[in-house]
Amino acid sequence: MKYILWDWNGTLLDDTQAALDTLNAMLTRRGVKSIAMDFYRDHFAFPCRPFYEQIGMPVPDSEWDALAREYHEIYSRQPVSLNGETIAALERVKATGSRQSIISALRQDLLDAVTRNFGVAPYMECIYGTDNLDGASKLDRALELMRQIAPADGETPDVVLIGDALHDKEVADALGVRCVLCAQGSHAGWRLREAAPTGNTLLEAVSIALRD
C-alpha cells in the first residue's frame, strides 16, 4: 500500500487566485504594478521572499514578520474552496487502503482549522503545519512526519508526496520519497513537468501516484 503525503495550499485547497489577489492588494498599497496570473504561476516559488523582491516588494528583515501578518490578514478575506476533485481524490486513495497525511508550510493552528472546516481532516492520519507565517520551507516538519509514520522496524513506507510546487519536489527528494505534482495550483505545468511526473488535474496526479 502507498502512503500519500498531501500538500495543502494549491493542491487540495484551490487558493491560487486568492494568493494572487492578496499579493496584488499588497502591491497596490505600495504603488507597485499588479501582476497577472500567468506571471505568478511562471515565477512564484518557495521560500516566497525572493519572489516578493522580484515583483517590486523587497522586505527588510525588520519588516518581514509584519509583512507576513499583512499577507495573512488580507488572504483571510479572500474566497477559497477545495479543488473540485479533492474529495474524489481522497476517497480514491482511501479505497486502496493507503494512509494519508498533510504536510504544509501553513501555520499549524490555521491548518487545523481550515482542514477541519472543509471536511478533509477525517481522511488524514496526521496534519503537520509549521509554527510561523513565513511561507518558507516545510522540510523540518516533513522530517518529523516521516519519523511519525515510519513503522517500528524503521523501514520506510512506500511514500508519495503530491503537491503543486517545485518545493514539494525538493522536500520529497530530501525525504527520499517519490513526488507527483499537480498543475492546477501555484506553478505552471511546464515548470513542474521539468522536475517530476505531473498530472494536469488532481485525479490524474493520484493515478500516477498509485501506480507501482
Side-chain angles (χ1 to χ4, degrees), residues 77-91:
R77 302 197 301 268
Q78 307 300 321
V80 297
S81 62
L82 291 180
N83 180 305
E85 295 183 345
T86 289
I87 298 302
L90 299 180
E91 286 286 351

Side-chain angles (χ1 to χ4, degrees), residues 61-82:
D61 290 344
S62 61
E63 298 177 15
W64 177 250
D65 288 345
L67 183 135
R69 290 192 297 271
E70 178 186 358
Y71 177 93
H72 282 277
E73 187 273 328
I74 299 172
Y75 173 90
S76 68
R77 302 197 301 268
Q78 307 300 321
V80 297
S81 62
L82 291 180

Side-chain angles (χ1 to χ4, degrees), residues 179-193:
C179 181
V180 176
L181 298 172
C182 174
Q184 288 184 299
S186 65
H187 284 36
W190 68 265
R191 301 172 67 193
L192 303 180
R193 294 185 186 94

Side-chain angles (χ1 to χ4, degrees), residues 113-193:
V114 72
T115 53
R116 182 174 61 250
N117 291 343
F118 278 113
V120 169
Y123 290 92
M124 303 301 164
E125 182 175 290
C126 301
I127 298 175
Y128 271 40
T130 64
D131 62 357
N132 59 70
L133 294 173
D134 285 352
S137 177
K138 58 190 176 186
L139 177 56
D140 288 345
R141 287 292 278 163
L143 291 168
E144 292 178 29
L145 179 54
M146 284 294 290
R147 290 192 289 270
Q148 175 71 21
I149 68 178
D153 62 8
E155 182 181 351
T156 302
D158 187 10
V159 177
V160 185
L161 193 159
I162 301 179
D164 72 312
L166 296 177
H167 181 58
D168 293 307
K169 178 62 163 61
E170 294 168 354
V171 170
D173 288 347
L175 299 177
V177 304
R178 286 202 297 133
C179 181
V180 176
L181 298 172
C182 174
Q184 288 184 299
S186 65
H187 284 36
W190 68 265
R191 301 172 67 193
L192 303 180
R193 294 185 186 94

Side-chain angles (χ1 to χ4, degrees), residues 8-42:
W8 176 244
N9 295 90
T11 303
L12 296 178
L13 185 71
D14 180 7
D15 70 339
T16 304
Q17 186 66 56
L20 175 63
D21 290 345
T22 298
L23 278 180
N24 279 334
M26 295 170 71
L27 292 172
T28 298
R29 286 181 177 181
R30 291 160 174 80
V32 179
K33 183 180 177 180
S34 297
I35 60 173
M37 178 62 80
D38 286 347
F39 180 91
Y40 179 83
R41 297 185 75 235
D42 283 344

